[in-house]
Amino acid sequence: MAGDWKFEVPTTGTKHLPPDARYMEALSSQGYGFEVAIADLVDNSIDAGAKDVVIHFLRDGDQLVSLLIIDDGGGMTEEDLDIAMTVGGRRNYDAQALGMFGTGLKSASLSHASAVTVVSKTKRSRPAGRRWLMERATADFQCDIVEPNYAQLLMDRYAGCPITWSGTVIRWDGVKNFPQTGGGGQTDRYLHRTINKLGFHLGLYFHRFLTRDDFNITIAVEDVRTGIEYMNFGVVSLDPFAYPVSGHPDYPRAFVAEVPSIGSVGFDAHIWPSKSNLDEYKAVGSVIERQGFYFYRHNRLVQAGGWNNFRQPDQHLALARIAVDLPDNSRDVFRLSVKKEGVEMSPEVVAALEDARDHNGRLFTQYLNDGESTYREARKTSGTVRKPVIAPGKGIDAAVRETLEEELPILPGEEPIAIRWQSLVNSIFFDLDRENRTIYLNQYYRAAILGGRAGTLNDAPMVKSLMYLLLHQIFEKEYSGPREKDNLQLWQAVLVSAARAELDRMADSG
């Protein structure tokens, strides 16, 4: 009834309702990626004034045992440690601090480890430590006090490299994505894959810090049994705007959007040159993912690519990137995720961008047109424009998909073409499913093509790339005419013959 509605909710008092200990499970289930979690801990090191951060993988022979993040920052007293290890505990952040919510250390660590130990010392305090053991944290919020002698031992282990007078060591044990068994080179493969991704991620998101002379991030691997440190390298800055020559002579160009609630916000628009093979261009992701806004908070990249509801991704904007330094007073306008890997942009910013201009009055929307035209011109080869194709999909290696999408215009709104292995009669090498946009390869020949290696979703990149190039046009036509059908029969015969030859060679070598 309309007359009974109250705009204010009446209350009769308050009641203390502390969180259930199982809240720790929710805290550790926020979907932190491995690289994102490590980056969150590096944020803490930077806030502590660290000049050197070391990410140290420890292994015992073939078994990975622990991961440590060590810094030479100002360190923490026991009281500081208690605050840092308290769920929701928040210190007074500096105006330029990277930390925000007071949950990163716990949630990032316990997302990937069953135990996190933090040992720290300041110039004036002795080493002290605390440990969250996941099973104890979820039971009654009991945080372990680290034995002082061990805290001193851990500090001494890294004395001089990087810790001098003060610093912090974070130790992860029971890391969930470490290989359970390290035999057969599994640990080496894991380290190669993981460290490569981690180096790219940290190099990208901390690139402004890494260009400084007084800040370094090092990734190292040590065998605790022998004491041999057989991998040690510095993370290299990957500036997503470090192109050698602009793709368009009028850029970069600074635009300003007048946002009613916070005032002027700068958008620095860039256009990359086409077909770049630089890591700075390719490190972000696919052609679609790397275009758009690059948001920075206090010089730390917090979003790499994306249009934030301003417009839809478009292959023709693959070269367009915009750097945005978030104003300090913008929390209600640019909302940063807890994991610091994405920004929610309010509708008033989207509206303001439509009228954003540079100092000459050029509209931001003109920049988008220039980005598209630069891409289209670059697609022309000797006066010939390549025809749009259906995009490659699952089963084709990501690097190959990326190259195909850069070299060929993609038909918008079309389901990609997947390539899968399936049991087929031995007289054919492949089969086509037009309705489900899938090329099926004969499972019988898989081992021979892979040379005995284990199969994966994106295996046999050479064969699958050639099959895509051979067959994608079949999916782009409503039906196959006599010429296409004859070609399919020809390709089947030749490919079956070649696959059987591979089987024969495999049998002879066995």
Side-chain angles (χ1 to χ4, degrees), residues 236-271:
V236 177
S237 167
L238 285 174
D239 183 348
F241 299 93
Y243 42 79
V245 179
S246 176
H248 191 292
D250 291 345
Y251 296 90
R253 187 173 286 268
F255 293 87
V256 175
E258 297 298 335
V259 182
S261 62
I262 60 173
S264 300
V265 178
F267 292 79
D268 294 332
H270 300 251
I271 298 177

Side-chain angles (χ1 to χ4, degrees), residues 41-54 70-76 91 93-94 96-99 120-123 162-168 206 209 212-217:
L41 301 186
V42 174
D43 286 342
N44 294 340
S45 298
I46 292 173
D47 283 348
K51 306 298 183 185
D52 283 287
V53 181
V54 176
I70 311 104
D71 70 54
D72 63 346
M76 291 179 280
R91 58 183 174 81
Y93 289 110
D94 182 78
Q96 293 297 306
L98 302 180
S120 191
K121 75 179 182 99
T122 68
K123 290 182 179 179
I163 295 173
T164 50
W165 299 104
S166 59
T168 298
F206 294 99
F209 294 91
R212 300 175 181 175
D213 293 333
D214 63 348
F215 182 75
N216 301 284
I217 301 174

Side-chain angles (χ1 to χ4, degrees), residues 385-408:
V385 179
R386 293 171 179 166
K387 289 184 177 182
V389 301
I390 298 174
K394 293 181 179 179
I396 302 177
D397 186 83
V400 176
R401 291 201 307 268
E402 179 181 323
T403 300
L404 287 167
E405 290 170 0
E406 287 184 346
E407 293 292 336
L408 295 168

Side-chain angles (χ1 to χ4, degrees), residues 173-189:
D173 292 300
V175 180
K176 297 171 186 176
N177 68 340
F178 277 2
Q180 296 303 306
T181 58
Q186 187 175 353
T187 292
D188 290 326
R189 288 193 297 272

